[in-house]
Every structure is written in C-alpha cells, then in structure tokens.
Amino acid sequence: NLGSDGVHIIDPFTGTGTFVTRLLQSGLIPPERLEYKYKHEIHANEIVLLAYYIAAINIEHVFHEITGKDYQPFEGICLTDTFALYEQDHDMVANLLPDNSERRTRQKALDIRVIMGNPPYSAGQTSANDNNANVAYTNLDKRIAETYAQHSSATNKNALYDSYIRSIRWASDRITKDTDKGVIGFVTNGSFVDSNTADGLRKCLVDEFSSLYIFHLRLLLYS
C-alpha cells in the first residue's frame, strides 16, 4: 500500500502542492508511517519558482498540522522541468542551487511506484507568448514517435506531443524503468478517449498496462 517501505510516490507537476497535501490528509498513509514517507518516499517537482515555494510551504504546513511535530522542511521537492530530467544531467540552475541538483540526482535513481497529479497541456501552442508553449524534448519525443505515433493511423500526429500526452509517456516509462510495476493517476484532457489521433496511444495503453480505469467527467455529467 502507499505506506509500505519502498513505495516512492511522486507528483511530477505539483503546482502549489495540492495533490501531495491531500495525500497527507487522506489517511491512506497510516499515521505511524507518515513521518518516514514525508522524509524519504514522497516527492514533487515544479518548474515555476513561485509555485515551487508555495508548494513547499503548503506541504510543510499540512505535515506540521497533522503530526504536531516540530516544523520540518520538505526535502522531497525539486525545482525542475520533469520532462527534461532525462534529457540532460544538469539543468541551468544546477550551479546556483547545488542542493536542488543533488535532489534531482537522487530522485532519478529511485524506484518510483506511484505517479499522480494534474499534467499541463500545450498542443497547438507554439508562440513564446503562449502560457504553455511547446518545447522539444528529444528523448521523450522519440519515445512518443516510436510508440503512440507509430501505432496511430492519423495523418496529422502533432497532438500526440501535447504535454499531457507527454506526461503519460513519461510516467509509463518512469515506472517501468526499474521493476515494471506501478500505478499512474492523472487528471487530464479527455480527448485521448475517442480522438482519431490518439488511437495509437490507446493501443499502447492496453498493451502496457494490466488495468485501466477512466472516469470521464463530461460523460458522467451528461449521463
């Protein structure tokens, strides 16, 4: 279960830390295991500096509130672009933030078993003025090309490089890196469920996972 030894949990796009704080509050991790998990086996990444600081404060405050223990910094959070973690050994802030660089290195070596969160989206945004303009990730995009795109019958496959689909590809590869066992839970755009472009994605999901659970909120709303 989530409280077991060796079950590392990560929110790779943590924003202001909502998913991690709710995890701490959920009771899914037994109280006697909470401090150990907080210190060693719960992780989060964020690339926006302000959100990073807010997330750290939120997570630390919730842990302090739940446990009543002395205030402890949350050392599982990294200021980083999750997609770029495996594109390069060092990022542009490595020399400025050596502690953060060490955290990134440690995280890359972990056997991550649970990946959760709310990935960004970016399809069709190419201008530098867009909120989530597309950035090229050579290794990650190569994996999409040889899996989702290769099995797609669509002519235009640009939408397969949307950040939320990149997130699914990244997470699928991350949990298979060590033991081929893990769970992914994402809140995403729902177009992959029935769009023509995503037929290759759907095929790969069926091939790569033993179980798939999809809660389509729009369908639930209208039903």
Side-chain angles (χ1 to χ4, degrees):
N1 59 50
L2 294 180
S4 299
D5 282 341
V7 178
H8 287 269
I9 305 165
I10 189 170
D11 180 353
F13 318 100
T14 200
T16 56
T18 300
F19 279 78
V20 176
T21 58
R22 295 297 181 266
L23 172 64
L24 296 175
Q25 295 168 333
S26 68
L28 293 171
I29 299 175
E32 66 274 13
R33 297 288 300 153
L34 199 59
E35 183 173 7
Y36 181 85
K37 300 296 288 192
Y38 175 84
K39 287 182 176 180
H40 303 287
E41 295 184 351
I42 296 177
H43 314 276
N45 293 340
E46 178 53 45
I47 186 58
V48 178
L49 184 60
L50 179 59
Y52 164 84
Y53 282 120
I54 293 174
I57 292 170
N58 285 341
I59 294 166
E60 291 163 0
H61 173 73
V62 166
F63 176 77
H64 173 70
E65 187 177 55
I66 292 173
T67 63
K69 295 181 179 292
D70 293 339
Y71 199 89
Q72 301 180 40
F74 178 53
E75 297 186 353
I77 191 167
C78 294
L79 178 65
T80 190
D81 179 352
T82 293
F83 292 150
L85 270 175
Y86 297 92
E87 301 288 330
Q88 55 193 21
D89 291 332
H90 300 284
D91 61 7
M92 59 184 177
V93 298
N95 293 331
L96 298 175
L97 301 171
D99 289 346
N100 186 72
S101 183
E102 290 176 8
R103 292 181 189 181
R104 291 172 76 251
T105 301
R106 286 198 303 270
Q107 184 191 114
K108 289 170 68 174
L110 297 175
D111 176 11
I112 299 290
R113 296 296 184 93
V114 179
I115 301 176
M116 62 176 186
N118 184 5
Y121 69 94
S122 63
Q125 298 185 334
T126 56
S127 167
N129 295 320
D130 289 335
N131 290 331
N132 288 302
N134 279 326
V135 177
Y137 298 96
T138 304
N139 295 332
L140 180 57
D141 291 349
K142 180 174 181 290
R143 286 288 295 141
I144 291 175
E146 62 192 20
T147 55
Y148 303 161
Q150 180 177 327
H151 293 288
S152 175
S153 60
T155 302
N156 187 340
K157 304 178 183 182
N158 290 341
L160 290 175
Y161 298 89
D162 186 293
S163 290
Y164 91 91
I165 293 182
R166 279 173 167 161
S167 303
I168 296 172
R169 182 67 271 164
W170 176 87
S172 301
D173 288 339
R174 186 63 181 84
I175 62 172
T176 60
K177 185 174 78 72
D178 298 299
T179 59
D180 204 26
K181 295 179 181 179
V183 176
I184 300 170
F186 279 158
V187 177
T188 74
N189 184 314
S191 64
F192 77 93
V193 174
D194 54 11
S195 70
N196 292 334
T197 306
D199 57 349
L201 165 62
R202 293 191 294 271
K203 181 183 186 306
C204 289
L205 289 178
V206 171
D207 291 341
E208 294 175 13
F209 289 86
S210 58
S211 300
L212 297 169
Y213 301 90
I214 299 170
F215 297 89
H216 198 314
L217 299 187
R218 180 172 294 176
L219 294 181
L220 291 174
L221 177 65
Y222 289 122
S223 63

